[in-house]
């Protein structure tokens, strides 16, 4: 009997393998990497050909094309594409009004023994490549043994008030450099957030060191074309070196299912984890109750003429209801407490930003981005309602700062402006205003330092002094930007600026370091200066303002080719009004004669290139 079982254990894998060796169709196969707008619906292997059905979602009215030299690859062997259904190789396929097209690529027959295949349009950067398509019909990817298993803990580490250099090391496992991914790290502490781009090496590794001031939350975003989805969330204390691991198989799983966000875990497979921090036990937390999920929906505010008193009462009632609901849940008590802290942070944020939330609900109901702001007076929070909320729901410092959030920073800033005193947030509010107006631009004066030295919460004073020192060091290191001393008005200044470049096409980019769309646009636009827009007849001018921390600003502009100008708060405000700027990035395009026009439509990358090329070859106005 034992011999029979042994024989079966040997034969069973062989029989299973043989069942996959003949003609077959693999529905919705797993794959390692592909352009983000592609899903593979099926792969059919027959004696005469191999058929790959693709669901391609792209911009409506735009086109895609597979080159006639496209081929499939199994190990080292190539199998050329011999046709298509719904697409003609080498010709443009125009996207319909939904931007969704399904077509079939036909290849010479692959061997039935093939376990995986690649589809490669060509070796040029930007050409389609779909790598590691599974042909076995496996039910789930393989678990990477490098993903750390989070430790167990029944206590959350206290807030660390030290200032030290920290390092994040990112390991993207199963990374395929054929389909390069953008990657960003977001660090959020009591004074805001920074989002540096991470440049992944071919092996998927990247490292970033920074001066950290107090405990912070960190998240890794990964994606393409400036659109990042969260792959990891966690926390870090000053002075730590944290190794974060993310399995790129999760990208294929997300594209395969068409569901967002990127899965942290699915079908028993863990796709991300970290080690090296005292907070390791609390990585990738997902709180079950969130106030924001109730506020940023169509029916959150049913009456857009709601009074400030009624709005404040609505937030108070919602917070109370959600807090009571949280108490009924059977969950880890530490995570429950963190969820409760998150709720109070969201409630304070909702009170301060009532105008934005009401306007957002209005836009969702009108189904039009053009109607984002209501055409009537919107409720604005006042001192009395905030003090009423705080009296009923006290905000304890030691408890709240255990979950680092910039919400307290902006709430405290608002409270300081309204003259609300008597708690720890009033000091934070003073510090917030000193940071935004002075410390980040190395402008703290002696009288400011005297205020800082009087703070009872000495940590925030140390943070401001540290920021001042960092800004001073950035300026001493030298920079390649100019400021504007002579300013009459926006129109005269701009005309004076452009007069220096008569005979050339001038592209002016309004941006700031904290603006993620600005950084993404610059990253896309920078390469064309050496290709399609490689011309000495183009002048590139980049205008930022003092809201960009000087240390971040001087660091970033080193990699942006052009003339860099830094305006004051008042100057950029006047320039924004002159052009009716609706947001950044914002572009101003001038022809060879100095005629200029605001061009927000050039946020479209192709329009950006075409508009500049048009002025290079034509003297017409922009």
């Amino acid at each position: 009997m034992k011999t029979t079982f042994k024989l079966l254990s040997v034969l069973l894998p062989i029989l299973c393998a043989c069942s996959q060796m003949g003609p077959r169709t693999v529905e919705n196969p797993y794959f390692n990497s592909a352009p983000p707008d592609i899903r593979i619906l099926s792969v059919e292997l027959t004696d005469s050909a191999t058929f790959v059905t693709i669901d391609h979602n792209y911009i409506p009215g735009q086109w895609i094309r597979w080159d006639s030299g496209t081929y499939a690859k199994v190990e080292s062997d190539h199998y050329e594409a011999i046709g298509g259904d719904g697409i003609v190789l080498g010709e443009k396929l125009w996207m319909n009004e939904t931007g969704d097209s399904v077509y079939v690529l036909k290849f010479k027959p692959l061997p039935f023994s093939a376990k995986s295949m690649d589809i490669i349009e060509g070796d040029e950067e930007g050409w389609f490549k779909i790598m590691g398509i599974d042909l076995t019909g496996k039910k789930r990817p393989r678990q990477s043994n490098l993903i750390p298993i989070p430790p167990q803990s029944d206590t959350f580490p206290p807030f660390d008030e030290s200032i030290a250099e920290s390092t994040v090391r990112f390991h993207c496992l199963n990374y395929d450099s054929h389909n390069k991914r953008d990657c960003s790290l977001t660090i959020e502490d009591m004074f805001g957030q920074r989002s540096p781009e991470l440049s992944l090496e071919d092996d998927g590794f990247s490292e970033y060191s920074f001066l950290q001031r107090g405990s912070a939350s960190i998240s890794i975003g990964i994606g393409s074309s400036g659109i990042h989805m969260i792959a990891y969330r966690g926390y870090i204390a000053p002075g730590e070196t944290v190794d974060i691991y993310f399995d790129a198989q999760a990208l294929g799983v997300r594209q395969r299912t068409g569901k967002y966000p990127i899965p942290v875990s699915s079908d028993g497979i863990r796709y991300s984890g970290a080690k090296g921090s005292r907070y390791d036990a609390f990585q990738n937390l997902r709180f079950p109750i969130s106030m924001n999920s109730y506020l940023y929906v169509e029916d959150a505010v049913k009456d857009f003429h709601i009074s400030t008193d009624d709005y404040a009462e609505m937030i108070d009632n919602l917070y109370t209801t959600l807090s009571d609901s949280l108490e009924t849940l059977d969950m880890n008590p530490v995570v429950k407490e963190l969820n409760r802290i998150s709720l109070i942070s969201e409630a304070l944020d909702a009170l301060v930003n009532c105008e934005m939330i009401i306007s957002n609900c209005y836009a969702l109901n009108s189904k039009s981005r053009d109607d984002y702001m209501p055409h009537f007076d919107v409720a604005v929070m006042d001192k009395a309602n905030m003090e009423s909320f705080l009296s009923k729901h006290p905000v304890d410092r030691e408890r709240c700062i255990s979950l680092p959030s910039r919400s307290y920073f902006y709430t405290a800033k608002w409270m300081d402006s309204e003259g609300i005193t008597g708690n720890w947030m009033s000091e934070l509010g003073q510090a917030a205003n000193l940071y935004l107006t002075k410390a980040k631009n190395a402008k703290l004066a002696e009288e400011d330092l005297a205020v800082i030295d009087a703070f009872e919460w000495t940590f925030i004073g140390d943070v401001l002094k540290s920021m001042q020192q960092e800004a001073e060091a950035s300026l001493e290191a030298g920079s390649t930007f100019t400021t504007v001393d002579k300013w009459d008005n926006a129109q005269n200044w701009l005309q004076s600026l452009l007069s220096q470049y008569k005979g050339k096409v001038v592209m002016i980019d309004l941006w700031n370091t904290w603006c993620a769309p600005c950084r993404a646009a610059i990253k896309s636009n920078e390469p064309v200066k050496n290709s399609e827009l490689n011309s000495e007849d183009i002048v590139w001018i980049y205008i930022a303002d003092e809201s960009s921390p000087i240390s971040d600003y001087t660091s970033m502009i080193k990699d942006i080719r052009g003339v860099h100008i830094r305006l004051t708060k008042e100057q950029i405000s006047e320039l924004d009004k002159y052009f009716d700027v609706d947001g950044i990035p914002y572009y101003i395009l001038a022809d060879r004669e100095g005629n200029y026009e605001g061009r927000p439509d050039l946020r479209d990358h192709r329009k950006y290139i075409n508009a500049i090329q048009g002025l290079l070859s034509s003297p017409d106005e922009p």
Side-chain angles (χ1 to χ4, degrees):
M1 192 70 173
K2 289 181 179 179
T3 303
T4 303
F5 279 125
K6 287 181 178 179
L7 184 61
L8 284 172
S9 66
V10 172
L11 289 176
L12 189 58
I14 298 175
L15 291 171
C16 291
C18 290
S19 68
Q20 298 176 350
M21 300 296 281
R24 62 187 181 276
T25 298
V26 182
E27 302 284 352
N28 201 17
Y30 282 101
F31 52 88
N32 288 342
S33 72
D37 42 22
I38 283 179
R39 284 181 63 201
I40 304 172
L41 300 183
S42 67
V43 179
E44 182 182 1
L45 286 75
T46 72
D47 293 313
S48 58
T50 296
F51 304 90
V52 180
T53 304
I54 292 175
D55 182 358
H56 205 137
N57 194 288
Y58 194 53
I59 303 170
Q62 299 295 312
W63 56 268
I64 60 99
R65 176 172 56 199
W66 283 88
D67 189 77
S68 57
T70 298
Y71 62 92
K73 183 179 179 182
V74 176
E75 296 180 348
S76 60
D77 296 325
H78 291 197
Y79 301 85
E80 66 182 84
I82 55 178
D85 184 7
I87 191 170
V88 178
L89 296 175
E91 296 186 10
K92 296 177 181 178
L93 172 62
W94 292 90
M95 289 290 156
N96 59 27
E97 59 189 16
T98 67
D100 193 46
S101 291
V102 176
Y103 54 84
V104 178
L105 297 180
K106 182 179 179 182
F107 299 89
K108 286 186 175 181
L110 272 59
F112 294 139
S113 59
K115 295 182 179 180
S116 70
M117 67 180 288
D118 303 327
I119 299 176
I120 300 173
E121 183 187 15
D123 296 327
E124 298 293 328
E125 186 174 346
W127 286 27
F128 293 136
K129 301 176 183 71
I130 310 177
M131 313 300 290
I133 306 169
D134 174 64
L135 300 178
T136 67
K138 65 182 179 182
K139 301 300 182 184
R140 64 179 186 174
R142 185 174 55 200
Q143 171 70 64
S144 170
N145 58 10
L146 294 178
I147 300 292
I149 300 175
Q152 297 295 314
S153 177
D154 57 1
T155 59
F156 193 79
F159 184 81
D160 189 324
E161 296 191 354
S162 62
I163 299 174
E165 183 174 278
S166 302
T167 299
V168 173
R169 298 192 297 216
F170 183 58
H171 310 261
C172 190
L173 310 176
N174 293 308
Y175 178 67
D176 191 335
S177 60
H178 290 93
N179 285 297
K180 291 188 179 295
R181 301 286 180 170
D182 300 332
C183 193
S184 67
L185 169 67
T186 298
I187 305 155
E188 181 172 336
D189 59 25
M190 291 293 292
F191 280 78
Q193 69 177 32
R194 66 180 78 182
S195 298
E197 296 290 328
L198 299 182
S199 179
L200 292 181
E201 299 173 8
D202 286 347
D203 62 356
F205 177 77
S206 188
E207 182 176 276
Y208 180 74
S209 296
F210 61 100
L211 185 63
Q212 183 175 347
R213 304 172 176 94
S215 298
S217 65
I218 54 176
S219 61
I220 296 286
I222 192 164
S224 61
S225 302
I227 301 174
H228 294 171
M229 292 166 287
I230 299 300
Y232 170 84
R233 296 179 192 269
Y235 304 92
I236 185 172
E240 292 183 330
T241 295
V242 178
D243 287 280
I244 297 175
Y245 297 82
F246 171 70
D247 192 338
Q249 290 182 115
L251 297 169
V253 171
R254 197 278 301 164
Q255 287 178 240
R256 177 178 178 267
T257 61
K259 295 180 179 179
Y260 293 83
I262 294 174
V264 171
S265 62
S266 177
D267 297 329
I269 305 295
R270 284 178 291 106
Y271 291 111
S272 69
K275 61 182 181 181
S277 173
R278 68 193 70 178
Y279 296 102
D280 281 349
F282 301 96
Q283 55 189 266
N284 291 320
L285 290 180
R286 295 290 186 269
F287 296 136
I289 296 181
S290 168
M291 179 173 286
N292 288 342
S293 64
Y294 289 88
L295 290 176
Y296 291 91
V297 293
E298 291 182 24
D299 59 350
V301 180
K302 296 179 175 61
D303 177 11
F304 304 118
H305 298 271
I306 188 172
S307 68
T308 299
D309 290 347
D310 288 343
Y311 178 87
E313 183 180 3
M314 180 190 80
I315 296 299
D316 193 329
N317 291 338
L318 179 59
Y319 170 74
T320 302
T321 299
L322 294 179
S323 296
D324 292 345
S325 298
L326 185 62
E327 288 301 318
T328 66
L329 299 182
D330 182 14
M331 58 186 292
N332 181 301
V334 179
V335 178
K336 180 182 287 189
E337 175 63 11
L338 293 175
N339 196 159
R340 188 180 295 109
I341 294 170
S342 177
L343 282 177
I344 190 69
S345 172
E346 290 177 333
L348 292 173
D349 199 50
L351 289 170
V352 172
N353 293 297
C354 65
E355 181 180 8
M356 181 189 72
I357 291 173
I358 294 170
S359 300
N360 185 68
C361 290
Y362 182 89
L364 289 171
N365 278 271
S366 68
K367 311 297 183 185
S368 172
R369 292 184 180 271
D370 295 333
D371 290 333
Y372 185 73
M373 294 297 292
H375 305 296
F376 48 80
D377 291 336
V378 179
V380 178
M381 191 47 53
D382 56 29
K383 178 179 179 180
N385 278 292
M386 177 63 80
E387 287 182 327
S388 174
F389 182 87
L390 291 174
S391 67
K392 288 185 283 186
H393 312 288
V395 182
D396 177 74
R397 188 184 88 190
E398 296 302 323
R399 176 170 165 258
C400 288
I401 66 173
S402 61
L403 195 65
S405 171
R406 58 179 173 157
S407 291
Y408 298 115
F409 175 86
Y410 289 106
T411 299
K413 176 179 176 293
W414 179 89
M415 290 170 61
D416 182 59
S417 67
E418 293 293 317
I420 299 177
T421 59
N423 59 47
W424 64 274
M425 292 187 75
S426 62
E427 282 191 347
L428 180 59
Q430 293 179 66
N433 281 308
L434 286 172
Y435 162 68
L436 290 171
T437 60
K438 296 186 176 183
K440 68 177 183 179
N441 290 313
K443 292 185 177 181
L444 286 176
E446 289 298 323
E447 56 267 28
D448 301 318
L449 294 174
V451 172
I452 291 170
D453 289 337
F455 284 163
E456 181 179 338
W457 189 13
T458 58
F459 165 68
I460 56 176
D462 293 339
V463 168
L464 289 175
K465 293 175 183 178
S466 170
M467 289 175 171
Q468 170 90 349
Q469 292 168 0
E470 184 179 36
E472 289 172 342
S474 297
L475 291 174
E476 290 173 3
S479 57
T480 55
F481 70 90
T482 60
T483 56
V484 180
D485 295 326
K486 295 182 179 180
W487 179 281
D488 181 9
N489 57 57
Q491 181 178 7
N492 289 346
W493 173 77
L494 186 61
Q495 289 174 344
S496 175
L497 175 68
L498 293 175
S499 68
Q500 304 173 45
Y501 305 107
K502 273 289 183 71
K504 296 182 181 292
V505 173
V506 181
M507 167 53 72
I508 299 177
D509 184 336
L510 305 188
W511 74 294
N512 270 304
T513 59
W514 44 261
C515 169
C518 298
R519 299 195 305 270
I522 289 172
K523 186 173 183 179
S524 297
N525 295 335
E526 199 68 14
V528 301
K529 296 176 183 177
N530 295 317
S531 56
E532 295 168 273
L533 298 178
N534 185 6
S535 172
E536 294 183 358
D537 284 344
I538 305 174
V539 177
W540 310 95
I541 298 178
Y542 292 86
I543 298 178
D545 62 66
E546 292 178 332
S547 67
S548 292
I550 195 69
S551 55
D552 293 342
Y553 179 69
T554 54
S555 174
M556 290 179 63
I557 63 176
K558 293 175 183 177
D559 298 320
I560 306 172
R561 196 174 90 202
V563 177
H564 291 276
I565 301 173
R566 186 175 169 90
L567 299 183
T568 65
K569 177 182 178 181
E570 293 74 23
Q571 290 168 345
I572 195 66
S573 176
E574 189 174 332
L575 189 64
D576 287 347
K577 289 179 181 177
Y578 179 61
F579 283 99
D580 194 22
V581 173
D582 61 349
I584 54 175
Y586 186 92
Y587 302 100
I588 303 167
L589 185 59
D591 66 14
R592 296 177 188 271
E593 298 301 317
N595 303 304
Y596 57 86
E597 182 181 9
R599 295 292 301 273
D601 59 311
L602 300 190
R603 291 166 185 154
D604 181 306
H605 183 60
R606 178 42 58 183
K607 286 184 179 180
Y608 178 93
I609 294 173
N610 291 343
I612 297 173
Q613 286 178 330
L615 290 188
L616 285 175
S617 58
S618 170
D620 295 340
E621 293 187 3

